[in-house]
Amino acid sequence: QRAYHVLGGREAEEQGRLWYPSRRAKHWHPGNAELADQGGLYPSCDGCPNRCPFGHHTGIDMCWRVSFRRKMREFRDRNGIFLQVLDGGSLGDGQREEANWAREDGMICLHMAG
């Protein structure tokens, strides 16, 4: 939360200068209750809607990977950067996946201690 406030908080979000996904509810695999809480246990779609078997890829029926990568690309197209907050000193599995997407999509990826 500290990073969120340092970077402008709600005002920056409302102006479209910041997107802080930790403030939003996430669906691992919409429409599949058996895998609802097992996002890390299912093969990754890498945020590509055509590879994701879950949801309709809109609104709350979008898997977190598709939603996240779509938003990353929106910010990239506006010359944004990707800033990851490190909790506990290292990247988690999902954060490593996100960093790979940033590199694949040609986006600057920086890290900040939480």
Side-chain angles (χ1 to χ4, degrees):
Q1 286 285 354
R2 182 175 64 93
Y4 175 75
H5 294 293
V6 167
L7 295 170
R10 184 175 302 276
E11 180 179 335
E13 269 192 308
E14 289 171 355
Q15 294 173 356
R17 296 182 292 114
L18 172 68
W19 179 60
Y20 195 75
S22 295
R23 289 180 19 87
R24 287 158 180 75
K26 298 173 189 75
H27 295 278
W28 284 109
H29 302 299
N32 190 323
E34 293 174 11
L35 296 172
D37 297 323
Q38 301 177 31
L41 301 178
Y42 197 85
S44 175
C45 65
D46 283 323
C48 300
N50 61 335
R51 292 179 49 199
C52 183
F54 304 103
H56 302 288
H57 312 304
T58 59
I60 63 169
D61 288 330
M62 190 182 312
C63 100
W64 79 269
R65 289 178 172 103
V66 172
S67 174
F68 198 101
R69 194 159 189 182
R70 184 174 290 170
K71 187 58 85 169
M72 282 178 69
R73 288 174 172 166
E74 287 176 19
F75 272 83
R76 177 206 59 200
D77 292 347
R78 294 180 9 222
N79 297 314
I81 65 161
F82 181 48
L83 176 65
Q84 289 183 299
V85 177
L86 303 176
D87 289 322
S90 64
L91 295 175
D93 292 341
Q95 287 179 306
R96 282 191 289 280
E97 191 173 2
E98 296 157 5
N100 286 334
W101 301 337
R103 281 189 286 281
E104 287 174 7
D105 290 344
M107 189 172 202
I108 295 170
C109 183
L110 304 174
H111 299 100
M112 173 182 171

